[in-house]
Amino acid sequence: MNEILFAEIYYICVAIMLILGFKTYRSMMKNTQKVSFLAVVILHILYFQTDLVRMTTNSQDLFLNEMCFLFFSLCTLAWFNYIQTMLDIHYAKKSQTLFAMIPVIISVVLLLINTLNGCLFYIDHNGNFRDGPLYILYVLINDIYFIVGAYQAYIYSHRAKNYQQKKSNQILRHHQHVWVNINQIV
């Protein structure tokens, strides 16, 4: 019964993401803004589908679990990139771009290490998914993107010269909190 409920919830999320993607594609946004938001939509759909398969099959497949974790990390990076695009923040140097990618790089390294020692998660002898000792670190590392994005939207909303830009940045900051809550629920 729980599998059916999970499937319904995930397919509703996918439907909403598809609607958002379609509306964004047809919108008057700049192309860079469209592309960055469509990346958010596509990665969330991949995350939802991978997690749905993982949850409904009670999968003990390490690869499937790792892919779910990887898509989650890529979702947070894509959302951070979208915030950067909407705030018109561009990195002048490659070192700045590399610095911004540190959380996702650490997440990938942790996922690679996890295959050796189960530091993030493991499947116990009964076939149940269990959090590893570094699971909370993984979550916090990915939350850095949400925290920094919300902070930047907050700062930019106070620095904005005109009312429309100020409100737009405040909306971004609000959406940041919504995405954090959605990712924590799902």
Side-chain angles (χ1 to χ4, degrees):
M1 183 63 180
N2 282 340
E3 290 83 13
I4 295 171
L5 181 61
F6 278 127
E8 288 175 356
I9 291 169
Y10 277 87
Y11 283 122
I12 289 170
C13 290
V14 167
I16 290 169
M17 295 306 287
L18 287 172
I19 291 168
L20 288 173
F22 182 73
K23 293 281 188 182
T24 300
Y25 180 76
R26 299 205 41 174
S27 74
M28 300 299 284
M29 295 170 73
K30 296 178 192 174
N31 278 338
T32 55
Q33 293 170 343
K34 280 183 187 181
V35 169
S36 65
F37 190 73
L38 289 174
V40 169
V41 168
I42 290 167
L43 285 167
H44 272 81
I45 290 171
L46 289 171
Y47 169 71
F48 291 146
Q49 291 301 308
T50 307
D51 199 36
L52 175 64
V53 170
R54 184 179 71 89
M55 297 294 277
T56 57
T57 61
N58 292 326
S59 178
Q60 298 174 12
D61 183 9
L62 180 67
F63 178 74
L64 186 58
N65 284 291
E66 294 260 342
M67 290 305 296
C68 189
F69 274 63
L70 177 63
F71 282 131
F72 176 75
S73 294
L74 293 176
C75 285
T76 61
L77 174 63
W79 181 253
F80 178 74
N81 184 51
Y82 172 69
I83 295 293
Q84 302 294 299
T85 303
M86 293 302 291
L87 294 174
D88 207 22
I89 297 173
H90 303 285
Y91 297 123
K93 300 176 186 175
K94 287 184 180 182
S95 62
Q96 292 172 316
T97 303
L98 185 61
F99 183 74
M101 292 194 59
I102 286 175
V104 81
I105 291 169
I106 292 171
S107 294
V108 169
V109 168
L110 284 172
L111 285 169
L112 291 172
I113 292 171
N114 186 66
T115 60
L116 302 173
N117 64 8
C119 64
L120 294 178
F121 63 87
Y122 60 94
I123 309 297
D124 68 11
H125 62 281
N126 293 327
N128 297 319
F129 180 90
R130 299 284 183 219
D131 296 344
L134 297 180
Y135 175 79
I136 193 70
L137 177 65
Y138 171 83
V139 172
L140 292 173
I141 286 170
N142 285 288
D143 283 349
I144 288 171
Y145 285 126
F146 294 126
I147 293 165
V148 171
Y151 175 75
Q152 287 176 327
Y154 175 78
I155 295 299
Y156 274 66
S157 70
H158 286 294
R159 288 184 184 167
K161 303 244 187 282
N162 66 39
Y163 179 78
Q164 182 179 2
Q165 188 62 42
K166 182 176 283 226
K167 286 298 174 191
S168 175
N169 292 343
Q170 287 173 348
I171 289 170
L172 272 178
R173 188 177 77 216
H174 175 70
H175 286 294
Q176 184 76 18
H177 296 296
V178 170
W179 280 105
V180 169
N181 291 335
I182 288 172
N183 282 319
Q184 288 173 351
I185 290 170
V186 178

